[in-house]
Amino acid sequence: METQHKEQAIKLLELMNKANYFEKLKPEHNVDHSFNVTLKVSGYNELNLMVSDLLKASIVLLNKDARSLSSFTADSDINIMTFLEIALQLLPAAEMELFDDIHQLYLKSNIM
């Protein structure tokens, strides 16, 4: 019986590896039990719009009056924390530091 289960598990693993079913989550190097997900956007403007929409949806859902008027929240339990976590992960932190440096250069160039 145990041999049969092992054979079935091996066949299942071979099938999954052959078809590449699990290609969405990419293991994050140097971190256990953590994965990366690629999100394709056309540029920073689209990324900014996505973050803004997630934040706006969270604001509406956190407002009790707005939530009671919404038909899509009546039947489903929406975890607002998920929206906020996604928005936080989408913020381009490194690029914002670059924008600060560029802004400082711009301010210095206007003084002279």
Side-chain angles (χ1 to χ4, degrees), residues 4-63:
Q4 183 181 6
H5 288 301
K6 285 182 182 179
E7 289 175 8
Q8 290 174 340
I10 290 171
K11 287 180 184 178
L12 179 61
L13 288 172
E14 288 173 353
L15 177 64
M16 289 187 302
N17 286 330
K18 181 179 176 183
N20 289 329
Y21 286 113
F22 300 107
E23 53 185 43
K24 188 59 117 179
L25 295 178
K26 306 291 182 204
E28 187 172 341
H29 301 294
N30 303 324
V31 179
D32 289 337
H33 309 294
S34 186
F35 299 91
N36 288 322
V37 177
T38 302
L39 180 66
K40 294 182 182 183
V41 295
S42 63
Y44 283 102
N45 189 47
E46 183 180 2
L47 178 61
N48 187 55
L49 291 172
M50 289 173 74
V51 173
S52 295
D53 287 342
L54 285 167
L55 292 172
K56 289 174 189 175
S58 298
I59 290 168
V60 167
L61 290 171
L62 285 170
N63 182 325

Side-chain angles (χ1 to χ4, degrees), residues 100-111:
D100 277 341
D101 292 342
I102 292 170
H103 185 241
Q104 289 301 316
L105 288 174
Y106 170 76
L107 292 175
K108 287 178 184 176
S109 71
N110 281 344
I111 294 173

